[in-house]
Amino acid sequence: MNVYDELKKKLGKNRVKANYDLSNLQTMRVKTCAQMFFVAHSREDLIAAKKASLALNVPMIVLGGGSNMVFSKKVFPGLVVANRYIDREVLETDTDFVKLKVSSGYPTAKLVNETIEEGFAGLELFMGLPGTVGGAVVMNSKWSRPPVFFGDSLIAAEIIDDKGNLVKVDREYFGFSYGASRLQDEGSILLEAVFKLKKSASAALKKTAGDALAYRKESQPYGVNSSGCFFRNISVDDQKKLGLPTASAGYLIDKAGLKTIAVGDFCVSDKHANFIINAGRGKPEDLAKLVKIIKEKIKKKYGVDLIEEVIIA
Ligand SMILES: Cc1cc2nc3c(=O)[nH]c(=O)nc-3n(C[C@H](O)[C@H](O)[C@H](O)COP(=O)(O)OP(=O)(O)OC[C@H]3O[C@@H](n4cnc5c(N)ncnc54)[C@H](O)[C@@H]3O)c2cc1C
């Protein structure tokens, strides 16, 4: 029996697809497909997929909203699991705080909108952030005005570790830093996260969220195919060494004259130079070429290596 048949036996005959087109499942819309594909609708599905991938020695990745990852190959060699596990539960509430358990496939926009309506503060600055709670926690998604990270209000979580065991972890486990968490390196899967949110006036949260969304729309390309900021900002040490007014990767790319350069359907946005935009059905090899050009030009002009913020699968 081949691996595909073995996976179907473990996860359901009609639930595992072969050569599945992923173009519409990532916001960059890179033309690519998955050798095998499965949609997880529950925590049991995520656990079963991880266990099956380990038992059959098949590489597996979880795809949340696909808004911070791009694929480097025409076919991802392994199992792509789209996370549609959507659930939430109030664990505890008192006069000041609420503890909310949220599943990893929960759409971030839905959670942000709901918590604003309910008067729970902590996530309102993420109004307009695409993707799922799993992606936002794993990437420790950020906002800069004022600086805040998605992991800031996380107090606990349950994960599936790289051996397939269920483990309850606290916030320290994540080792959150700028755009990063431990889960990115170790390949474990977030099942659910618990957030502690402060009870606040909904009207004030709406105003804060509205201002953040307005700034997002003003400063970033909106409603186009992209994966947000493509590169990480440079270190503050490098910024100081170079005597630059900012550590922003977009600033460096702009000053290197790279706005609007294109390869195939991919181009650097003229609105925000750290956004790469796919104008059509760009191929992975064209994206790789554009990224190489940007990195080489920045290295030549500034002597620094730009590092991708986007996960390249
Ligand atoms: C228009 C636009 C604006 C953006 N603005 C911002 C911004 O302001 N700030 C910011 O930080 N980012 C921003 N992003 C990037 C992105 O939206 C966020 O990082 C988002 O939180 C990623 O969530 P996702 O579900 O789409 O993750 P995905 O892209 O699906 O996944 C990202 C990584 O996390 C892993 N992953 C996802 N879910 C799980 C899970 N349950 N368990 C383990 N691993 C998992 C994936 O395998 C992948 O490695 C923007 C993107 C776009 C397109």
Side-chain angles (χ1 to χ4, degrees):
M1 208 187 284
N2 63 28
V3 173
Y4 177 48
D5 289 331
E6 297 264 15
L7 257 184
K8 286 203 282 191
K9 220 168 119 191
K10 288 183 185 294
L11 298 177
K13 195 167 153 239
N14 299 318
R15 296 191 62 194
V16 184
K17 314 277 181 213
N19 294 320
Y20 194 85
D21 183 1
L22 297 175
S23 310
N24 292 324
L25 295 180
Q26 344 120 52
T27 55
M28 183 70 108
R29 306 261 191 276
V30 179
K31 192 162 170 35
T32 189
C33 70
Q35 186 190 2
M36 289 165 290
F37 177 78
F38 174 73
V39 180
H41 292 287
S42 62
R43 58 179 268 135
E44 290 73 26
D45 280 350
L46 285 169
I47 297 165
K50 182 67 184 180
K51 286 197 183 294
S53 79
L54 288 171
L56 301 172
N57 202 17
V58 175
M60 165 181 156
I61 51 163
V62 176
L63 185 63
S67 63
N68 215 15
M69 66 191 292
V70 295
F71 290 85
S72 60
K73 301 189 183 76
K74 284 186 180 125
V75 181
F76 175 82
L79 174 65
V80 173
V81 176
N83 186 2
R84 302 290 176 264
Y85 167 32
I86 301 174
D87 195 18
R88 54 165 270 185
E89 183 190 346
V90 172
L91 292 183
E92 240 180 272
T93 179
D94 62 22
T95 46
D96 295 327
F97 289 96
V98 62
K99 286 185 188 167
L100 204 58
K101 182 165 87 170
V102 187
S103 66
S104 54
Y106 212 87
T108 304
K110 178 170 158 64
L111 182 65
V112 170
N113 279 318
E114 287 171 354
T115 51
I116 288 171
E117 281 299 327
E118 290 159 338
F120 302 154
L123 303 175
E124 61 281 1
L125 286 162
F126 294 100
M127 174 74 101
L129 184 74
T132 60
V133 166
V137 170
V138 170
M139 301 307 297
N140 197 21
S141 297
K142 61 225 166 290
W143 184 244
S144 56
R145 292 167 69 100
V148 59
F149 293 96
F150 202 84
D152 287 355
S153 28
L154 182 149
I155 53 166
E158 189 165 5
I159 63 167
I160 314 172
D161 74 11
D162 56 352
K163 301 203 171 44
N165 304 310
L166 296 184
V167 189
K168 292 201 161 134
V169 294
D170 58 17
R171 99 167 254 104
E172 280 66 42
Y173 180 85
F174 285 85
F176 287 124
S177 61
Y178 176 84
S181 78
R182 173 173 172 174
L183 263 54
Q184 277 172 31
D185 305 321
E186 66 181 18
S188 42
I189 295 171
L190 183 79
L191 277 175
E192 291 116 11
V194 180
F195 298 95
K196 185 175 177 185
L197 304 173
K198 191 169 178 3
K199 291 188 175 168
S200 309
S202 175
L205 298 179
K206 272 186 194 153
K207 165 88 177 75
T208 306
D211 291 348
L213 185 62
Y215 181 72
R216 190 182 277 281
K217 287 184 173 170
E218 186 190 307
S219 59
Q220 299 176 352
Y222 205 74
V224 293
N225 301 336
S226 83
S227 39
C229 285
F230 203 90
F231 299 100
R232 290 174 174 274
N233 289 340
I234 60 168
S235 70
V236 174
D237 279 355
D238 280 340
Q239 178 202 340
K240 281 187 187 148
K241 245 190 290 170
L242 292 163
L244 297 173
T246 164
S248 151
Y251 175 87
L252 270 68
I253 298 169
D254 185 6
K255 292 294 166 204
L258 293 169
K259 269 188 173 173
T260 74
I261 66 153
V263 176
D265 279 340
F266 294 101
C267 72
V268 174
S269 162
D270 62 350
K271 189 166 186 184
H272 189 313
N274 202 9
F275 273 60
I276 293 179
I277 289 170
N278 183 359
R281 299 300 290 270
K283 300 186 196 99
E285 58 270 27
D286 287 339
L287 179 60
K289 275 185 210 155
L290 181 59
V291 168
K292 191 163 176 269
I293 293 170
I294 297 168
K295 288 172 95 168
E296 283 175 358
K297 287 248 161 97
I298 296 300
K299 178 79 177 176
K300 200 167 166 204
K301 185 169 167 67
Y302 294 102
V304 291
D305 292 305
L306 281 186
I307 297 166
E308 288 87 346
E309 177 168 312
V310 168
I311 302 289
I312 317 279

